[in-house]
Amino acid sequence: MKYLVSILFFLLVSTNASKPILEEKPPLCGDNICVVQFNAAFNSANEVTWLEELTDCSTTTVDIMADPSLPQDYKIVVVPTILVLEDGEEVARFQANIMMTMETTREEVQESIDEIIMSKF
């Protein structure tokens, strides 16, 4: 019996040894200032359409259904949610209302970006 338990223990340890303890996720965007829209396919009608009009930053849209760990990693509780990131760290957050529509304007998000830039001077 000890022999069987030892073999099972060895197999369990050896199969888990090949898995990384913490998987390193690639960053959502690589630029200094980045604006990320988190949304889901079921809410595509409420997607923010003016994201590409923002200046002095990179932009990306992420479908939270494609990677279920993202809502937990970025504390997304409603879609769409817009995060302004500086060097990967959250600087500003804009969330949709209870109807899952974004009331935040492009000007408000651009103002957050401009404040980041001005703070460097």
Side-chain angles (χ1 to χ4, degrees):
M1 185 66 166
K2 286 184 182 179
Y3 182 71
L4 180 60
V5 171
S6 298
I7 290 175
L8 288 175
F9 180 74
F10 175 75
L11 289 174
L12 180 66
V13 170
S14 65
T15 57
N16 284 335
S18 63
K19 295 179 185 176
I21 295 173
L22 293 174
E23 290 184 27
E24 186 72 27
K25 289 189 176 188
L28 291 177
C29 47
D31 287 356
N32 190 16
I33 301 173
C34 179
V35 178
V36 183
Q37 173 184 204
F38 292 88
N39 205 353
F42 66 81
N43 193 42
S44 61
N46 293 323
E47 185 170 282
V48 173
T49 58
W50 43 257
L51 206 64
E52 295 295 323
E53 297 173 24
L54 297 169
T55 60
D56 301 318
C57 66
S58 63
T59 60
T60 188
T61 298
V62 176
D63 184 350
I64 63 169
M65 302 303 283
D67 186 350
S69 68
L70 286 175
Q72 183 177 5
D73 294 346
Y74 290 92
K75 298 173 179 59
I76 305 301
V77 295
V78 64
V79 288
T81 293
I82 295 175
L83 296 184
V84 179
L85 306 174
E86 180 181 19
D87 298 325
E89 297 294 320
E90 181 179 333
V91 177
R93 175 180 292 253
F94 303 93
Q95 294 179 307
N97 60 23
I98 195 166
M99 299 299 293
M100 294 194 303
T101 59
M102 183 63 69
E103 293 179 350
T104 301
T105 64
R106 180 185 61 80
E107 290 78 14
E108 290 171 319
V109 176
Q110 186 65 56
E111 186 177 313
S112 292
I113 296 165
D114 295 343
E115 285 176 12
I116 295 168
I117 294 169
M118 293 304 291
S119 71
K120 294 180 180 184
F121 291 104

